[in-house]
Amino acid sequence: MNGRGVVWLGAPSFPVAAKQALADPQLRANLKRATTTIRDKRLAVAAELDDWEALRDAAAAIKKRTARHLDRYLLQLEESVTAAGGTVHWAADAGEANRIVTELVRATGETEVVKIKSMATQEIGLNEHLAVHGITAYETDLAELIVQLGDDRPSHILVPAIHKNRTEIRDLFAAEMAHWGRPAPEGLTDAPRELAEAARRHLREKFLTAKVAVSGANFACADTGTVVIVESEGNGRMCLTLPETLITVMGIEKVLPSWSELEVFLQLLPRSSTGERMNPYTSTFTGTTEGDGPSAFHLVLLDNGRTDTLADRVGRQVLACIRCSACLNVCPVYERTGGHAYGSVYPGPIGAVLTPQLVGPEHAASLPFASTLCGACYEACPVKIDIPRVLTHLRAEVVEAQGGRTAEALALKAAGKVLDSPHLFAAAQKAAALGGKALARKGRIGRLPGPAAGWSDTRDTPAPPAESFRSWWRKNKEDDR
Amino acid sequence: MSSREAILARIRSALADVPADETPEDVPVPRAYRRSHLAPAEDRTAVFSERVADYRATVTRTDPAGLPATIAARLTARGAERLALPAGFPLELLPAGPWEWHPEPLDTAALDGLDGTITLAAVGIAVTGTIVLDTGPGQGRRALTLVPDYHLCVIRSEQIAEDLPDALARLDPARPLTFVSGPSATSDIELDRVEGVHGPRTLDVVLVTPEQP
């Protein structure tokens, strides 16, 4: 955890971690298969809605409206949740959120909680914090269970165990389930149906006895105090319904102005994330309901770097993210390195812009560079976050923070001087043509000399043409006048 | 200063560029999206049936007179005999036969021991193939349609909204709502879809359309 409380940051840095990941052909095969599958499904169901672009425009605008008036909507949310019988807590950072949740669990006298998959609780390292205080948190999403049993880390926002194939999962269940509760059945094969059944049996005893549940939130409506949880397996419904106490940890950016805005987001989220018209289960609840579900409901509003992100006029748009993970599945960098290389619970393009903002650009300095700036993520984003723009903005901040001493900064400074002077520019072009000729093999330069060597380690550079455009123009066109 | 005050103060200072007199309505939200994705010629109930079936759930159509027999046929096909019965479910719809009906309230362990449950619904959504339960009469508590492994849901054609915007407008957010689109499913293992993880593994929808003259 870094100073501001976001787990697993930056060790090793992206370039080092990515190099290790690239050397793992099994990982690359698992990822390629998975990202291609979701990508195709997403395209098909998004294409069913011929107003997809209009929905994206509306979503981006609603998020912008919310961000620009966030204080007002949070106060309204607090009021409506309280009126509906819930209790609202405010947590400035990870430490405070963890303390609040721990105290709430302790007050119930319980030492076990069941959990719905949640990015916010991953971000603050809640499970680890609870464990230190003698409370066991059971992850109940199948993928999170796989990650927890393997003492592993999630590598994807939607499918955290995307890096594991069925055989790896079978072996893990057979070896580890017994340490956490009901063991895997004898002779378990690697058929997904059997694996899901083993998870069902393993977790059912927890669901039926747990007194406390912890969740995140996909949305919360300020006007009604309604919290929305979108899921597939029914583990979410189990946690929201059977325990006596429910504790929801929610980033402050998840608030929506009103219940009716869900008409936009419930169309965009399932289609963007799992490529379905609708996910199997969406639960909405407002405070507590007599005789149905938990009798105590606590909503923890988490800042943890979000207000700093809000202060950045270019970067604040990242707070619109609805964690659909569409950007991961279209990213050529993510597809090859996987999520672990990003060193954060938020991997892929969104992680590359969110993580440095949550923790400050002095940490996570390599993440804004973990992109080709191809723009596929912007195109896929249902709330139109201009990820490439934020990436370049953050790159500039990183270079600035490093005091302009990097090879790139020095090169750009030198280039600035040359480009300012037509005379120097012509001379440089002539030199480049000569130098290029000397370096190039079959028109490509494999390795650049000097400070550019690092850049060229993994890339080929096209050789400069033998003659510059300016020189060609002077010879061929100026005579025509 | 409390964290509440600190966070609110940080938000206000972060938004120094937002003019003090700006209201949320000053940030325009373009609403060019459709209220419904149903084509003018498309039949709500036909689209609903097709899309529910797309999730590997079963949809059976019947008219009011044929409802008890249809329910009997579905239960027989599934081998479900011991069923939880929510308060307010119209008893005249229940078929006569070998079925044991266990009325609410039931505790979780009792629910877990039953074969399934039968309920009504609040709203259906044609375009997404979704049924929405709002715990109203005949629908039961949320646990009722969650713990048992089988769910038979009876919905009338006039309850089916064309699309999400229409459906949300019909629902009361003060009630706990459950949007159900097919049986419980996971795609966490190599993105292979498997039905039935923690919720009901089998979903039967019985769609009641008015009698044909």
Side-chain angles (χ1 to χ4, degrees), chain A residues 243-439:
Chain A
E244 290 162 7
T245 301
L246 170 64
I247 305 164
T248 298
V249 182
M250 179 188 115
I252 51 174
E253 80 284 14
K254 295 284 181 119
V255 65
L256 289 178
S258 70
W259 161 257
S260 61
E261 303 297 19
L262 290 172
E263 71 184 26
V264 174
F265 293 96
L266 288 183
Q267 293 194 70
L268 290 170
L269 178 56
R271 288 179 200 258
S272 300
S273 64
T274 53
E276 294 168 298
R277 296 189 185 103
M278 198 68 160
N279 49 289
Y281 297 129
T282 296
S283 297
T284 78
F285 58 94
T286 305
T288 54
T289 304
E290 178 94 42
D292 189 344
S295 51
F297 169 58
H298 297 274
L299 181 63
V300 182
L301 298 175
L302 175 72
D303 178 348
N304 205 34
R306 285 160 177 77
T307 45
D308 292 326
T309 308
L310 190 66
D312 184 319
R313 291 178 200 188
V314 177
R316 72 166 58 137
Q317 60 180 305
V318 171
L319 294 176
C321 175
I322 56 173
R323 314 278 188 260
C324 72
S325 72
C327 62
L328 276 61
N329 303 323
V330 297
C331 177
V333 176
Y334 178 88
E335 186 178 301
R336 285 161 183 81
T337 64
H340 288 161
Y342 294 80
S344 158
V345 293
Y346 300 107
I350 191 65
V353 287
L354 183 59
T355 308
Q357 296 202 87
L358 288 182
V359 303
E362 67 276 21
H363 307 284
S366 64
L367 284 184
F369 298 89
S371 164
T372 63
L373 298 180
C374 73
C377 48
Y378 181 28
E379 221 167 281
C381 178
V383 292
K384 292 186 92 164
I385 300 170
D386 190 346
I387 296 176
R389 164 125 204 264
V390 183
L391 280 168
T392 50
H393 168 73
L394 293 174
R395 286 180 184 191
E397 277 194 8
V398 168
V399 171
E400 192 77 12
Q402 289 170 341
R405 291 183 307 274
T406 61
E408 283 96 337
L410 291 172
L412 286 173
K413 207 175 258 176
K417 262 188 197 150
V418 173
L419 290 169
D420 275 349
S421 147
H423 172 68
L424 281 176
F425 184 56
Q429 279 185 317
K430 205 167 173 191
L434 287 172
K437 209 184 262 174
L439 285 166

Side-chain angles (χ1 to χ4, degrees), chain A residues 3 14 78 108-109 113 145 154-155 161 171 179 183 211 223 237 246 262 291 296 346 351 368 372 386 403 413 453 478:
Chain A
F14 184 83
E78 179 184 51
T108 66
V113 301
L145 172 70
S155 67
D171 293 347
H179 304 309
K211 299 277 188 285
D223 61 341
R237 293 181 64 194
L246 170 64
L262 290 172
Y346 300 107
T372 63
D386 190 346
K413 207 175 258 176
E478 288 197 338

Side-chain angles (χ1 to χ4, degrees), chain B residues 26-58:
Chain B
D26 291 333
V27 185
V29 175
R31 304 275 180 185
Y33 58 88
R34 291 177 187 281
R35 304 301 301 170
S36 166
H37 291 91
L38 213 61
E42 274 183 306
D43 172 34
R44 256 177 320 129
T45 55
V47 173
F48 175 77
S49 304
E50 171 210 315
R51 304 245 155 129
V52 172
D54 228 27
Y55 299 120
R56 298 184 206 169
T58 308

Side-chain angles (χ1 to χ4, degrees), chain A residues 33-34 37-38 48-51 54-55 57-58 61-62 64-65 67-75 78 90-92 96 140-143 158-159 165-166 169 192-193 195-197 199-200 203-204 207-208 224 226 232-235 237-238 240-242 252 259 261-264 266-267 271 276-286 289 291-294 301 303 307 310-311 313 316, chain B residues 3-8 10-19 22-35 37 50-51 54-56 108-109 112 125 127-130 133 135 140-149 163-166 168-169 171-201:
Chain A
R33 193 173 162 233
T37 308
I38 320 185
E48 281 183 6
L49 308 186
D50 57 4
D51 59 343
L55 282 165
D57 287 337
I62 295 163
K64 185 177 176 191
R65 175 182 279 186
R68 287 175 74 90
H69 298 279
L70 189 58
D71 49 340
R72 161 190 192 132
Y73 288 122
L74 288 173
L75 287 171
E78 179 184 51
W90 299 69
E96 189 173 13
T140 63
D141 170 78
L142 178 52
L158 174 75
V159 267
N165 64 22
R166 58 183 73 191
I169 295 167
R193 184 164 297 279
L195 296 171
E197 176 68 20
R200 178 187 176 99
L203 286 172
R204 187 150 277 231
F207 289 134
L208 299 187
T224 57
T226 307
S232 292
E233 296 173 6
N235 66 307
R237 293 181 64 194
M238 289 277 182
L240 295 175
T241 311
L242 299 184
I252 51 174
W259 161 257
E261 303 297 19
L262 290 172
E263 71 184 26
V264 174
L266 288 183
Q267 293 194 70
R271 288 179 200 258
E276 294 168 298
R277 296 189 185 103
M278 198 68 160
N279 49 289
Y281 297 129
T282 296
S283 297
T284 78
F285 58 94
T286 305
T289 304
D292 189 344
L301 298 175
D303 178 348
T307 45
L310 190 66
R313 291 178 200 188
R316 72 166 58 137
Chain B
S3 288
R4 179 180 184 273
E5 297 316 313
I7 293 169
L8 289 168
R10 290 201 303 227
I11 291 172
R12 285 167 192 144
S13 100
L15 293 170
D17 59 310
V18 176
E22 184 183 292
T23 67
E25 291 67 36
D26 291 333
V27 185
V29 175
R31 304 275 180 185
Y33 58 88
R34 291 177 187 281
R35 304 301 301 170
H37 291 91
E50 171 210 315
R51 304 245 155 129
D54 228 27
Y55 299 120
R56 298 184 206 169
T108 310
D112 194 34
I125 310 173
V127 166
T128 61
T130 304
L133 305 169
T135 73
R141 293 171 302 136
R142 288 176 280 173
L144 202 76
T145 52
L146 171 65
V147 179
D149 205 15
D163 209 342
L164 238 145
D166 181 13
L168 288 175
L171 291 161
D172 176 4
R175 311 180 73 103
L177 304 175
T178 308
F179 294 64
V180 177
S181 307
S184 152
T186 183
S187 300
D188 280 343
I189 302 163
E190 296 185 15
L191 295 170
D192 242 8
R193 190 179 165 99
V194 177
E195 275 79 35
V197 193
H198 307 298
R201 270 181 282 207

Side-chain angles (χ1 to χ4, degrees), chain B residues 85-169:
Chain B
L85 187 68
F89 192 93
L91 298 178
E92 66 275 16
L93 300 183
L94 298 179
W99 297 285
E100 276 177 35
W101 305 102
H102 295 256
E104 276 268 74
L106 296 157
D107 65 25
T108 310
L111 274 180
D112 194 34
L114 296 177
D115 297 334
T117 188
I118 183 167
T119 72
L120 304 178
V123 165
I125 310 173
V127 166
T128 61
T130 304
I131 53 175
V132 190
L133 305 169
D134 72 356
T135 73
Q139 297 172 52
R141 293 171 302 136
R142 288 176 280 173
L144 202 76
T145 52
L146 171 65
V147 179
D149 205 15
Y150 170 68
H151 178 197
L152 189 154
C153 182
V154 178
I155 188 165
R156 287 175 288 113
S157 56
E158 66 268 26
Q159 291 180 295
I160 298 173
E162 288 190 9
D163 209 342
L164 238 145
D166 181 13
L168 288 175

